[in-house]
Amino acid sequence: MKKYLQIALMLFCTLVVSSCGNDDEPLEIDEAWKVRNEEAFQAKMFDPEFQQLRSESNEGSILYKVLKKGEGTEQIYYTSKVKVYYRGTLIDGTIFDSHTFEEGAPSEFTVSGVVDGWTTALQHMHVGDKWEVWIPQELGYGSAGKRAQTTGQATILPYTTLIFEMEVAEIVKQ
């Protein structure tokens, strides 16, 4: 009986300690960061090298610049699975996520499984296209932000503009 009591007590302590983590707590909002991100996105709107695309959800627009035109002609759909090389940065240049050619194989995912800004960009790209994409907070992680999921990733504060260099490597046949 004493053994079962010790096991129960250990499980209870583990539960209490694991629930004390702050992963479920909202990220703190930095008003100055929010303003800097909004200003950076607005300023980029006046850059003649960038074009604007309205999101499929109609929640806003992304800005993009074609860095390389690919040879692909096949349409990418909301339900498509793709392989993409990318590097994501913040307006201050901090890299928050990266899956580049130099680092190995491209990342594979379904278009519908990413933030709205990526979904919008991908549905207008073709295999081989390489774009620089600016995603405003409302088409990214919005007022919630995103905690770093793995080592090497940075936490994305609420109201962050996301900047990606992304290249479609392949449309995966399902």
Side-chain angles (χ1 to χ4, degrees), residues 12 21 23 53 56 127 133 171:
F12 176 75
D23 285 352
L53 277 175
E56 303 299 321
V127 172
V133 179
I171 299 172

Side-chain angles (χ1 to χ4, degrees), residues 4-156:
Y4 292 116
L5 185 58
Q6 287 176 337
I7 291 172
L9 184 58
M10 236 172 39
L11 287 173
F12 176 75
C13 289
T14 303
L15 178 64
V16 168
V17 168
S18 66
S19 67
C20 289
N22 62 358
D23 285 352
D24 293 336
E25 293 177 25
L27 292 169
E28 188 175 319
I29 295 173
D30 179 341
E31 288 296 326
W33 176 252
K34 176 182 176 182
V35 169
R36 285 197 315 271
N37 277 267
E38 290 170 353
E39 288 173 347
F41 187 82
Q42 292 299 320
K44 193 57 70 175
M45 289 181 78
F46 295 105
D47 187 329
E49 294 186 79
F50 282 82
Q51 298 176 43
Q52 192 171 342
L53 277 175
R54 189 85 183 139
S55 76
E56 303 299 321
S57 67
N58 238 6
E59 296 294 323
S61 297
I62 64 167
L63 301 174
Y64 73 98
K65 173 171 67 171
V66 177
L67 303 175
K68 180 180 93 174
K69 179 83 172 112
E71 300 291 323
T73 57
E74 186 177 348
Q75 180 72 39
I76 297 174
Y77 297 102
Y78 186 75
T79 56
S80 297
K81 185 175 265 191
V82 294
K83 290 185 180 184
V84 178
Y85 292 108
Y86 65 90
R87 184 180 69 235
T89 60
L90 307 177
I91 61 168
D92 65 4
T94 302
I95 297 173
F96 64 83
D97 196 6
S98 181
H99 214 99
T100 63
F101 178 78
E102 295 78 20
E103 295 169 332
S107 185
E108 182 176 318
F109 49 84
T110 303
V111 173
S112 63
V114 293
V115 295
D116 194 359
W118 260 64
T119 300
T120 300
L122 286 169
Q123 290 180 89
H124 290 86
M125 296 176 78
H126 298 93
V127 172
D129 283 353
K130 185 174 186 177
W131 289 8
E132 179 180 332
V133 179
W134 283 59
I135 301 173
Q137 59 88 12
E138 61 269 10
L139 299 180
Y141 295 108
S143 62
K146 180 182 179 201
R147 291 191 187 282
Q149 302 295 309
T150 61
T151 304
Q153 289 184 336
T155 292
I156 300 169

